[in-house]
């Protein structure tokens, strides 16, 4: 018998143990400082050099690139290494699934990656690390070295469209999987939220691991409310050694 394909949809909650704040959550930056939202809104970012200088200062101070994967990221990579086919669909831009050992081609980053920068004019990409080194060295708004265009993180800002290729791959995985684990996501932001419904429509076992209720709890086969750092490794170990457990946990 072939092993079931497991799709893991991850949101901000999987990375909070790594020290990365949930910007949209109740205590998130976007609620505390509405002005901060401009820093990640394409129109403002492109139109106002002062917004860009603030954004680069924020990126430099946040030290997000220094974050390390936690037990939950490692558990996903370990499941993949155990021979179970695993694909990750993530709303996060932190790259921690790959750092934990997930092959990059098996990770679909719906909102892009904060570990790279992209030129808004010629679309050349480069490491965020290099751009931040230039900021550290005194450039307030480093421009593309190739064409002088505005550089931005390779993330999907407010006002930008999701990459249709990444979205198409995520949808294909969602339709094909036998188990769909939504972890650390409130399932309220589209299109990620809708994927949970698509998975259930296509007969996948839907497992939701999240502290708070989600709009898809009614459709879930299993709901786990315990902390992700301990609950996810336990859950995924179960998937690697035996058929998916039955029963409903609340
Ligand atoms: Zn360029």
């Amino acid at each position: 018998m072939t092993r079931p394909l497991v799709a893991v949809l991850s949101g901000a909650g999987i990375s909070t143990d790594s020290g990365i704040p949930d910007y949209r959550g109740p205590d998130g930056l976007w609620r505390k400082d509405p002005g901060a939202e401009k820093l990640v809104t394409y129109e403002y970012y492109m139109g106002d050099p002062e917004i860009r200088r603030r954004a680069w200062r924020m990126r430099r101070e946040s030290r997000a690139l220094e974050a390390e994967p936690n037990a939950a990221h490692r558990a996903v990579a370990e499941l993949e290494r155990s021979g179970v086919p695993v694909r990750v669909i993530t709303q996060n831009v932190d790259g921690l699934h790959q750092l934990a050992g997930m092959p990059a081609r098996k990770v679909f980053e719906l909102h892009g990656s904060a570990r790279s920068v992209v030129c808004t004019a010629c679309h050349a990409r480069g490491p965020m690390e290099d751009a931040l080194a230039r900021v550290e060295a005194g450039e307030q708004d480093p421009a593309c070295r190739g064409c002088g265009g505005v550089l931005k993180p390779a993330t999907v800002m407010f006002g930008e469209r999701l990459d249709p290729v990444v979205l198409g791959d995520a949808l294909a995985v969602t339709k094909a999987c036998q188990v769909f684990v939504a972890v650390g996501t409130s399932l309220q932001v589209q299109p990620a939220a809708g994927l949970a419904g698509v998975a259930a429509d296509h007969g996948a076992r839907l497992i939701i691991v999240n502290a708070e209720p989600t709009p898809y709890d009614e459709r879930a086969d299993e709901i786990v409310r315990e902390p992700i750092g301990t609950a996810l490794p336990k859950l995924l170990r179960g998937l690697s050694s035996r058929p998916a457990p039955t029963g409903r946990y609340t």
Side-chain angles (χ1 to χ4, degrees):
M1 196 184 137
T2 53
R3 295 189 180 230
L5 173 63
V6 177
V8 176
L9 169 67
S10 66
I14 199 173
S15 292
T16 46
D17 281 353
S18 295
I20 295 177
D22 177 359
Y23 289 111
R24 292 170 193 265
D27 298 317
L29 184 63
W30 306 150
R31 298 222 185 151
K32 282 183 183 162
D33 177 9
E37 199 166 319
K38 285 189 179 177
L39 305 182
V40 290
T41 300
Y42 189 78
E43 191 191 343
Y44 291 112
Y45 188 84
M46 293 304 290
D48 186 347
E50 179 50 33
I51 293 277
R52 290 201 294 278
R53 289 192 283 268
R54 268 188 69 192
W56 282 112
R57 278 200 300 275
M58 186 186 74
R59 284 173 210 133
R60 192 183 127 211
E61 286 158 15
S62 78
R63 308 217 169 263
L65 295 190
E66 291 169 20
E68 302 272 350
N70 63 53
H73 298 107
R74 288 195 295 272
V76 175
E78 276 159 25
L79 179 64
E80 195 270 338
R81 272 197 299 272
S82 79
V84 173
V86 178
R87 298 293 182 274
V88 172
I89 301 165
T90 187
Q91 294 171 282
N92 301 335
V93 297
D94 53 40
L96 294 182
H97 284 289
Q98 296 92 316
L99 274 186
M102 270 304 289
R105 68 193 162 82
K106 297 183 178 178
V107 180
F108 304 103
E109 298 175 302
L110 294 172
H111 297 160
S113 173
R115 290 185 180 271
S116 299
V117 292
V118 62
C119 172
T120 54
C122 74
H123 307 294
R125 291 171 74 102
M128 172 61 82
E129 217 177 343
D130 293 355
L132 288 180
R134 290 170 63 188
V135 176
E136 199 69 47
E139 287 186 64
Q140 292 189 309
D141 178 19
C144 173
R145 290 222 197 261
C147 77
V150 171
L151 279 188
K152 68 179 280 295
T155 55
V156 179
M157 288 184 162
F158 292 118
E160 281 191 291
R161 261 187 224 132
L162 271 62
D163 183 333
V165 175
V166 175
L167 196 53
D169 287 343
L171 193 59
V173 165
T174 300
K175 287 177 177 173
C177 73
Q178 281 78 46
V179 182
F180 188 93
V181 186
V183 53
T185 166
S186 59
L187 296 176
Q188 284 173 9
V189 178
Q190 294 298 348
L195 294 176
V198 170
D201 288 345
H202 283 75
R205 178 178 173 77
L206 177 61
I207 304 175
I208 295 178
V209 185
N210 198 54
E212 306 294 329
T214 81
Y216 290 89
D217 286 3
E218 286 287 309
R219 304 202 60 189
D221 295 289
E222 188 175 337
I223 296 171
V224 180
R225 296 269 185 249
E226 292 141 53
I228 293 168
T230 48
L232 194 70
K234 198 166 82 182
L235 179 89
L236 297 186
R237 273 197 300 273
L239 293 179
S240 72
S241 57
R242 59 190 164 86
T246 53
R248 196 181 179 98
Y249 306 98
T250 49

